[in-house]
Structures are given as structure tokens and as C-alpha cells.
Amino acid sequence: MGMVFGKISVETAKHEVVQSSEDYEIRKYTPCVVAEVAYDPSKFGGDRDGGFMVLANYIGAVGNPQNTKPEKIAMTAPVITTQKASEKIAMTAPVITTQRTPETVDTHQEKTTATSMVMQFVLPTSKYTSVEQAPKPTDERVVIREEGERKYAVVKFSGLTTDQLVEEKVKKLKESLERDGCKIITRENEEPFLLARYNPPWTLPMFRTNEIMIPVE
């Protein structure tokens, strides 16, 4: 019943709070190993969390672990998601058309890649400190990589992580950082924030712990 009311009983990402204000806090996270998957939500029926089961299967949260040992890996919190921005493909010449019976295909148009999501599980730092120590995934979609020390501005909130609420929290946090002269780190074709969620879907919304994390210098 504890998880229904928001109790977090798993290992959480290790960090140190280096600055705190009424609006946010700046955290320095220790190096870690993450398992991540990039995916197109449209291939999961529009589910923006479509990558969750891919990672859950890798660690063995459901059924046998899909890794080469095979070895069950303890679940940690939070589950982190970020969105890759849509990327336009430049127009080239010549324009090529081809005839197919009974239809004609015309490539005279600018294409845009599908927006993709990236979801991460942080592997327990008490056990895995390098890629070599982590079990190798049998699903090629799962990537294991190391993340070094990094700093994030973080704001915490409860409730459902609707697009509207997330957008509001990101906007307010950005404004607070700009006001205080904090420099945001941006990466090409990536949204400049992470969404961190600490609770399973059956936790009552009012008891959920969510965070917006924006990388800062």
C-alpha cells in the first residue's frame, strides 16, 4: 500500500544539493551507468512511455531478464524521459518521380523525421559503476552507457505529468534560471529538460513525486 501513497522504497539517483532557492535547487549528480532506449511513440500506439517495457524487460522487472547473463537488476528511481526535437531534412536536387501502377509517388516535398523519445533507467550505483559491469542487453534497442558528473536545476511537483503541466513547469523554471543568471546547457535536436518520475502508475496522483531537470553549467 505504501507505493499507492507515494512511498519511494528503491534506490534513487545519487546527488548533492549545491544551491537552493524558493523556486528550485541546483544538484550535482555523481557518475552513473544508464540503460536507455530511443523510440517513436507512434509505433507504440501513441504511448509516450512506450519504451518502459523495453527497459523493464532488460532488467527483469517482468519475467526473465533480457540480458546475456541473465541477471536481474534492481529497479531504481527516477525513470527519466526526454524528447528529441523534430529534425527537418534539407531539400536536394533533382526531384525524382516514379510511376507505380496504379499510383504515382512524388518525392517533391520536404520531409520531417518523427519526433522520438528517450527513456532512461539509472542502474544501481551500488553495483554498477562502468558499462563493462552491466549485463549486455539482448534487445539491440537498449543502449548501456556511462554518464559523468553533471549539474541540473530541479523543480519538484506532484500530480499527473500532462503535457500542459510539464510545459508550465519548464517555462517557470527557465524564467527563474534566467532571472538568477544561471546558464542553461542546450544540446542540438534535444529538448533542454528531463522529466523524472519516481512512482509507479498506480500511485495516487496527489502523492506522486515528479521533477523537471534542466542541465546547467
Side-chain angles (χ1 to χ4, degrees):
M1 289 294 291
M3 288 191 291
V4 174
F5 295 103
K7 182 179 180 181
I8 301 168
S9 57
V10 298
E11 182 178 326
T12 56
K14 301 294 186 292
H15 66 270
E16 171 192 359
V17 177
V18 296
Q19 181 182 331
S20 185
S21 72
E22 292 183 2
D23 300 323
Y24 61 89
E25 60 185 26
I26 304 291
R27 299 177 187 168
K28 182 165 64 175
Y29 283 81
T30 59
C32 66
V33 179
V34 301
E36 69 178 26
V37 59
Y39 57 97
D40 180 353
S42 67
K43 296 181 179 179
F44 291 88
D47 183 4
R48 294 170 67 84
D49 292 328
F52 183 86
M53 287 307 300
V54 177
L55 294 176
N57 287 334
Y58 162 67
I59 68 171
V62 181
N64 294 322
Q66 292 186 6
N67 59 65
T68 54
K69 285 199 173 179
E71 177 177 285
K72 279 189 176 289
I73 302 171
M75 188 72 188
T76 65
V79 173
I80 298 171
T81 52
T82 188
Q83 180 172 305
K84 296 277 188 180
S86 297
E87 180 181 6
K88 289 188 174 181
I89 299 174
M91 192 65 187
T92 60
V95 174
I96 302 171
T97 59
T98 183
Q99 181 81 23
R100 290 183 183 174
T101 305
E103 62 180 5
T104 300
V105 177
D106 190 342
T107 61
H108 188 75
Q109 54 184 322
E110 192 175 57
K111 296 180 181 179
T112 303
T113 60
T115 298
S116 66
M117 306 292 297
V118 176
M119 180 175 284
Q120 284 184 353
F121 284 6
V122 178
L123 302 189
T125 55
S126 56
K127 188 170 184 179
Y128 307 105
T129 59
S130 69
V131 169
E132 290 74 24
Q133 292 176 331
K136 185 177 179 180
T138 55
D139 186 332
E140 62 182 13
R141 294 174 295 179
V142 178
V143 175
I144 309 300
R145 65 180 184 83
E146 295 174 21
E147 285 209 337
E149 187 176 86
R150 57 228 183 272
K151 286 171 66 177
Y152 290 100
V154 181
V155 62
K156 186 179 295 186
F157 63 102
S158 60
L160 298 174
T161 53
T162 62
D163 289 348
Q164 180 179 353
L165 181 58
V166 169
E167 186 177 334
E168 290 172 359
K169 296 296 181 182
V170 170
K171 182 175 183 292
K172 185 175 180 180
L173 180 53
K174 282 183 178 179
E175 290 172 349
S176 297
L177 293 173
E178 290 171 0
R179 176 199 65 204
D180 296 341
C182 294
K183 186 169 182 180
I184 297 172
I185 298 174
T186 58
R187 297 181 178 89
E188 187 177 2
N189 296 327
E190 283 189 11
E191 295 292 341
F193 72 90
L194 307 177
L195 172 62
R197 290 170 291 178
Y198 286 77
N199 308 102
W202 53 83
T203 300
L204 296 173
M206 68 181 74
F207 296 116
R208 294 185 185 186
T209 298
N210 313 303
E211 292 173 342
I212 294 297
M213 306 169 64
I214 293 181
V216 294
E217 289 188 348

PDB file of all heavy atoms in Angstrom, residues 173-195:
ATOM      1  N   LEU A 173      10.598  27.338 -14.602  1.00  0.00           N
ATOM      2  CA  LEU A 173      11.969  27.076 -14.183  1.00  0.00           C
ATOM      3  C   LEU A 173      12.967  27.837 -15.050  1.00  0.00           C
ATOM      4  O   LEU A 173      13.936  28.422 -14.539  1.00  0.00           O
ATOM      5  CB  LEU A 173      12.258  25.576 -14.223  1.00  0.00           C
ATOM      6  CG  LEU A 173      13.665  25.132 -13.802  1.00  0.00           C
ATOM      7  CD1 LEU A 173      14.042  25.678 -12.437  1.00  0.00           C
ATOM      8  CD2 LEU A 173      13.783  23.610 -13.827  1.00  0.00           C
ATOM      9  N   LYS A 174      12.740  27.868 -16.342  1.00  0.00           N
ATOM     10  CA  LYS A 174      13.628  28.619 -17.238  1.00  0.00           C
ATOM     11  C   LYS A 174      13.651  30.100 -16.870  1.00  0.00           C
ATOM     12  O   LYS A 174      14.712  30.736 -16.838  1.00  0.00           O
ATOM     13  CB  LYS A 174      13.169  28.463 -18.694  1.00  0.00           C
ATOM     14  CG  LYS A 174      13.546  27.145 -19.337  1.00  0.00           C
ATOM     15  CD  LYS A 174      13.092  27.160 -20.788  1.00  0.00           C
ATOM     16  CE  LYS A 174      13.480  25.891 -21.498  1.00  0.00           C
ATOM     17  NZ  LYS A 174      13.017  25.898 -22.908  1.00  0.00           N
ATOM     18  N   GLU A 175      12.480  30.648 -16.598  1.00  0.00           N
ATOM     19  CA  GLU A 175      12.393  32.062 -16.226  1.00  0.00           C
ATOM     20  C   GLU A 175      13.151  32.336 -14.937  1.00  0.00           C
ATOM     21  O   GLU A 175      13.838  33.350 -14.807  1.00  0.00           O
ATOM     22  CB  GLU A 175      10.924  32.470 -16.082  1.00  0.00           C
ATOM     23  CG  GLU A 175      10.170  32.522 -17.404  1.00  0.00           C
ATOM     24  CD  GLU A 175       8.669  32.740 -17.227  1.00  0.00           C
ATOM     25  OE1 GLU A 175       8.189  32.645 -16.062  1.00  0.00           O
ATOM     26  OE2 GLU A 175       7.981  33.014 -18.221  1.00  0.00           O
ATOM     27  N   SER A 176      13.050  31.418 -13.984  1.00  0.00           N
ATOM     28  CA  SER A 176      13.752  31.577 -12.709  1.00  0.00           C
ATOM     29  C   SER A 176      15.265  31.518 -12.910  1.00  0.00           C
ATOM     30  O   SER A 176      16.027  32.287 -12.308  1.00  0.00           O
ATOM     31  CB  SER A 176      13.313  30.497 -11.715  1.00  0.00           C
ATOM     32  OG  SER A 176      11.936  30.606 -11.415  1.00  0.00           O
ATOM     33  N   LEU A 177      15.716  30.605 -13.764  1.00  0.00           N
ATOM     34  CA  LEU A 177      17.152  30.476 -14.020  1.00  0.00           C
ATOM     35  C   LEU A 177      17.695  31.707 -14.731  1.00  0.00           C
ATOM     36  O   LEU A 177      18.787  32.199 -14.406  1.00  0.00           O
ATOM     37  CB  LEU A 177      17.412  29.216 -14.845  1.00  0.00           C
ATOM     38  CG  LEU A 177      17.143  27.883 -14.147  1.00  0.00           C
ATOM     39  CD1 LEU A 177      17.269  26.725 -15.129  1.00  0.00           C
ATOM     40  CD2 LEU A 177      18.076  27.682 -12.966  1.00  0.00           C
ATOM     41  N   GLU A 178      16.943  32.207 -15.715  1.00  0.00           N
ATOM     42  CA  GLU A 178      17.368  33.414 -16.425  1.00  0.00           C
ATOM     43  C   GLU A 178      17.421  34.601 -15.481  1.00  0.00           C
ATOM     44  O   GLU A 178      18.343  35.428 -15.542  1.00  0.00           O
ATOM     45  CB  GLU A 178      16.413  33.678 -17.587  1.00  0.00           C
ATOM     46  CG  GLU A 178      16.539  32.664 -18.715  1.00  0.00           C
ATOM     47  CD  GLU A 178      15.437  32.798 -19.760  1.00  0.00           C
ATOM     48  OE1 GLU A 178      14.575  33.701 -19.588  1.00  0.00           O
ATOM     49  OE2 GLU A 178      15.421  32.010 -20.721  1.00  0.00           O
ATOM     50  N   ARG A 179      16.457  34.694 -14.575  1.00  0.00           N
ATOM     51  CA  ARG A 179      16.417  35.779 -13.595  1.00  0.00           C
ATOM     52  C   ARG A 179      17.646  35.744 -12.696  1.00  0.00           C
ATOM     53  O   ARG A 179      18.218  36.784 -12.357  1.00  0.00           O
ATOM     54  CB  ARG A 179      15.153  35.631 -12.755  1.00  0.00           C
ATOM     55  CG  ARG A 179      14.988  36.637 -11.612  1.00  0.00           C
ATOM     56  CD  ARG A 179      13.995  36.116 -10.607  1.00  0.00           C
ATOM     57  NE  ARG A 179      14.480  34.906  -9.937  1.00  0.00           N
ATOM     58  CZ  ARG A 179      13.688  34.005  -9.371  1.00  0.00           C
ATOM     59  NH1 ARG A 179      12.365  34.144  -9.407  1.00  0.00           N
ATOM     60  NH2 ARG A 179      14.217  32.956  -8.762  1.00  0.00           N
ATOM     61  N   ASP A 180      18.079  34.540 -12.346  1.00  0.00           N
ATOM     62  CA  ASP A 180      19.200  34.391 -11.425  1.00  0.00           C
ATOM     63  C   ASP A 180      20.545  34.289 -12.127  1.00  0.00           C
ATOM     64  O   ASP A 180      21.578  34.072 -11.478  1.00  0.00           O
ATOM     65  CB  ASP A 180      18.987  33.151 -10.550  1.00  0.00           C
ATOM     66  CG  ASP A 180      17.758  33.280  -9.657  1.00  0.00           C
ATOM     67  OD1 ASP A 180      17.289  34.417  -9.449  1.00  0.00           O
ATOM     68  OD2 ASP A 180      17.263  32.238  -9.170  1.00  0.00           O
ATOM     69  N   GLY A 181      20.549  34.407 -13.443  1.00  0.00           N
ATOM     70  CA  GLY A 181      21.801  34.397 -14.187  1.00  0.00           C
ATOM     71  C   GLY A 181      22.434  33.035 -14.344  1.00  0.00           C
ATOM     72  O   GLY A 181      23.646  32.931 -14.583  1.00  0.00           O
ATOM     73  N   CYS A 182      21.643  31.961 -14.215  1.00  0.00           N
ATOM     74  CA  CYS A 182      22.167  30.599 -14.409  1.00  0.00           C
ATOM     75  C   CYS A 182      22.159  30.249 -15.893  1.00  0.00           C
ATOM     76  O   CYS A 182      21.146  30.467 -16.569  1.00  0.00           O
ATOM     77  CB  CYS A 182      21.326  29.586 -13.643  1.00  0.00           C
ATOM     78  SG  CYS A 182      21.410  29.764 -11.853  1.00  0.00           S
ATOM     79  N   LYS A 183      23.245  29.710 -16.395  1.00  0.00           N
ATOM     80  CA  LYS A 183      23.341  29.376 -17.812  1.00  0.00           C
ATOM     81  C   LYS A 183      22.858  27.957 -18.062  1.00  0.00           C
ATOM     82  O   LYS A 183      23.349  26.995 -17.486  1.00  0.00           O
ATOM     83  CB  LYS A 183      24.766  29.536 -18.323  1.00  0.00           C
ATOM     84  CG  LYS A 183      24.878  29.333 -19.831  1.00  0.00           C
ATOM     85  CD  LYS A 183      26.224  29.752 -20.359  1.00  0.00           C
ATOM     86  CE  LYS A 183      26.265  29.585 -21.880  1.00  0.00           C
ATOM     87  NZ  LYS A 183      27.565  29.981 -22.448  1.00  0.00           N
ATOM     88  N   ILE A 184      21.873  27.838 -18.963  1.00  0.00           N
ATOM     89  CA  ILE A 184      21.312  26.542 -19.331  1.00  0.00           C
ATOM     90  C   ILE A 184      22.160  25.904 -20.428  1.00  0.00           C
ATOM     91  O   ILE A 184      22.573  26.574 -21.376  1.00  0.00           O
ATOM     92  CB  ILE A 184      19.855  26.703 -19.820  1.00  0.00           C
ATOM     93  CG1 ILE A 184      18.973  27.239 -18.677  1.00  0.00           C
ATOM     94  CG2 ILE A 184      19.297  25.392 -20.357  1.00  0.00           C
ATOM     95  CD1 ILE A 184      17.573  27.621 -19.120  1.00  0.00           C
ATOM     96  N   ILE A 185      22.425  24.625 -20.308  1.00  0.00           N
ATOM     97  CA  ILE A 185      23.161  23.882 -21.336  1.00  0.00           C
ATOM     98  C   ILE A 185      22.167  23.319 -22.339  1.00  0.00           C
ATOM     99  O   ILE A 185      21.225  22.629 -21.959  1.00  0.00           O
ATOM    100  CB  ILE A 185      23.983  22.743 -20.710  1.00  0.00           C
ATOM    101  CG1 ILE A 185      25.028  23.301 -19.755  1.00  0.00           C
ATOM    102  CG2 ILE A 185      24.647  21.894 -21.794  1.00  0.00           C
ATOM    103  CD1 ILE A 185      25.788  22.240 -18.988  1.00  0.00           C
ATOM    104  N   THR A 186      22.366  23.613 -23.599  1.00  0.00           N
ATOM    105  CA  THR A 186      21.479  23.101 -24.641  1.00  0.00           C
ATOM    106  C   THR A 186      22.249  22.160 -25.547  1.00  0.00           C
ATOM    107  O   THR A 186      23.451  22.337 -25.784  1.00  0.00           O
ATOM    108  CB  THR A 186      20.873  24.239 -25.479  1.00  0.00           C
ATOM    109  OG1 THR A 186      21.927  25.014 -26.071  1.00  0.00           O
ATOM    110  CG2 THR A 186      20.014  25.149 -24.609  1.00  0.00           C
ATOM    111  N   ARG A 187      21.538  21.135 -26.053  1.00  0.00           N
ATOM    112  CA  ARG A 187      22.129  20.177 -26.978  1.00  0.00           C
ATOM    113  C   ARG A 187      21.301  20.147 -28.252  1.00  0.00           C
ATOM    114  O   ARG A 187      20.072  20.246 -28.206  1.00  0.00           O
ATOM    115  CB  ARG A 187      22.178  18.787 -26.353  1.00  0.00           C
ATOM    116  CG  ARG A 187      23.054  18.708 -25.111  1.00  0.00           C
ATOM    117  CD  ARG A 187      23.101  17.306 -24.546  1.00  0.00           C
ATOM    118  NE  ARG A 187      23.966  17.198 -23.390  1.00  0.00           N
ATOM    119  CZ  ARG A 187      23.575  17.405 -22.143  1.00  0.00           C
ATOM    120  NH1 ARG A 187      22.308  17.718 -21.895  1.00  0.00           N
ATOM    121  NH2 ARG A 187      24.431  17.301 -21.138  1.00  0.00           N
ATOM    122  N   GLU A 188      21.963  19.989 -29.379  1.00  0.00           N
ATOM    123  CA  GLU A 188      21.288  20.015 -30.668  1.00  0.00           C
ATOM    124  C   GLU A 188      20.239  18.911 -30.770  1.00  0.00           C
ATOM    125  O   GLU A 188      20.477  17.759 -30.393  1.00  0.00           O
ATOM    126  CB  GLU A 188      22.318  19.843 -31.802  1.00  0.00           C
ATOM    127  CG  GLU A 188      21.726  20.028 -33.195  1.00  0.00           C
ATOM    128  CD  GLU A 188      22.772  19.917 -34.280  1.00  0.00           C
ATOM    129  OE1 GLU A 188      23.948  19.651 -33.948  1.00  0.00           O
ATOM    130  OE2 GLU A 188      22.416  20.094 -35.453  1.00  0.00           O
ATOM    131  N   ASN A 189      19.053  19.296 -31.255  1.00  0.00           N
ATOM    132  CA  ASN A 189      17.941  18.371 -31.502  1.00  0.00           C
ATOM    133  C   ASN A 189      17.427  17.689 -30.237  1.00  0.00           C
ATOM    134  O   ASN A 189      16.845  16.615 -30.298  1.00  0.00           O
ATOM    135  CB  ASN A 189      18.328  17.296 -32.532  1.00  0.00           C
ATOM    136  CG  ASN A 189      18.608  17.898 -33.888  1.00  0.00           C
ATOM    137  OD1 ASN A 189      17.993  18.881 -34.274  1.00  0.00           O
ATOM    138  ND2 ASN A 189      19.544  17.311 -34.609  1.00  0.00           N
ATOM    139  N   GLU A 190      17.637  18.318 -29.079  1.00  0.00           N
ATOM    140  CA  GLU A 190      17.098  17.789 -27.832  1.00  0.00           C
ATOM    141  C   GLU A 190      16.374  18.880 -27.077  1.00  0.00           C
ATOM    142  O   GLU A 190      16.805  20.032 -27.067  1.00  0.00           O
ATOM    143  CB  GLU A 190      18.203  17.214 -26.939  1.00  0.00           C
ATOM    144  CG  GLU A 190      18.710  15.869 -27.368  1.00  0.00           C
ATOM    145  CD  GLU A 190      19.633  15.252 -26.323  1.00  0.00           C
ATOM    146  OE1 GLU A 190      19.683  15.801 -25.200  1.00  0.00           O
ATOM    147  OE2 GLU A 190      20.281  14.254 -26.643  1.00  0.00           O
ATOM    148  N   GLU A 191      15.265  18.535 -26.472  1.00  0.00           N
ATOM    149  CA  GLU A 191      14.603  19.462 -25.578  1.00  0.00           C
ATOM    150  C   GLU A 191      15.523  19.700 -24.379  1.00  0.00           C
ATOM    151  O   GLU A 191      16.165  18.771 -23.896  1.00  0.00           O
ATOM    152  CB  GLU A 191      13.265  18.889 -25.097  1.00  0.00           C
ATOM    153  CG  GLU A 191      12.231  18.708 -26.210  1.00  0.00           C
ATOM    154  CD  GLU A 191      11.732  20.025 -26.775  1.00  0.00           C
ATOM    155  OE1 GLU A 191      11.890  21.065 -26.101  1.00  0.00           O
ATOM    156  OE2 GLU A 191      11.192  20.027 -27.887  1.00  0.00           O
ATOM    157  N   PRO A 192      15.597  20.959 -23.897  1.00  0.00           N
ATOM    158  CA  PRO A 192      16.557  21.266 -22.827  1.00  0.00           C
ATOM    159  C   PRO A 192      16.056  20.914 -21.428  1.00  0.00           C
ATOM    160  O   PRO A 192      16.280  21.654 -20.479  1.00  0.00           O
ATOM    161  CB  PRO A 192      16.737  22.783 -22.986  1.00  0.00           C
ATOM    162  CG  PRO A 192      15.405  23.249 -23.463  1.00  0.00           C
ATOM    163  CD  PRO A 192      14.904  22.151 -24.378  1.00  0.00           C
ATOM    164  N   PHE A 193      15.358  19.804 -21.302  1.00  0.00           N
ATOM    165  CA  PHE A 193      14.927  19.386 -19.975  1.00  0.00           C
ATOM    166  C   PHE A 193      14.680  17.884 -19.947  1.00  0.00           C
ATOM    167  O   PHE A 193      14.463  17.243 -20.971  1.00  0.00           O
ATOM    168  CB  PHE A 193      13.647  20.122 -19.552  1.00  0.00           C
ATOM    169  CG  PHE A 193      12.401  19.691 -20.282  1.00  0.00           C
ATOM    170  CD1 PHE A 193      11.616  18.652 -19.788  1.00  0.00           C
ATOM    171  CD2 PHE A 193      12.009  20.294 -21.466  1.00  0.00           C
ATOM    172  CE1 PHE A 193      10.473  18.231 -20.456  1.00  0.00           C
ATOM    173  CE2 PHE A 193      10.868  19.883 -22.138  1.00  0.00           C
ATOM    174  CZ  PHE A 193      10.098  18.848 -21.636  1.00  0.00           C
ATOM    175  N   LEU A 194      14.728  17.330 -18.739  1.00  0.00           N
ATOM    176  CA  LEU A 194      14.386  15.941 -18.499  1.00  0.00           C
ATOM    177  C   LEU A 194      13.168  15.898 -17.593  1.00  0.00           C
ATOM    178  O   LEU A 194      12.991  16.766 -16.732  1.00  0.00           O
ATOM    179  CB  LEU A 194      15.542  15.200 -17.813  1.00  0.00           C
ATOM    180  CG  LEU A 194      16.929  15.280 -18.460  1.00  0.00           C
ATOM    181  CD1 LEU A 194      17.941  14.547 -17.587  1.00  0.00           C
ATOM    182  CD2 LEU A 194      16.914  14.722 -19.855  1.00  0.00           C
ATOM    183  N   LEU A 195      12.346  14.885 -17.779  1.00  0.00           N
ATOM    184  CA  LEU A 195      11.216  14.635 -16.896  1.00  0.00           C
ATOM    185  C   LEU A 195      11.553  13.406 -16.067  1.00  0.00           C
ATOM    186  O   LEU A 195      11.804  12.335 -16.617  1.00  0.00           O
ATOM    187  CB  LEU A 195       9.931  14.409 -17.687  1.00  0.00           C
ATOM    188  CG  LEU A 195       8.703  13.951 -16.886  1.00  0.00           C
ATOM    189  CD1 LEU A 195       8.307  15.004 -15.850  1.00  0.00           C
ATOM    190  CD2 LEU A 195       7.534  13.656 -17.820  1.00  0.00           C
TER     191      LEU A 195
END
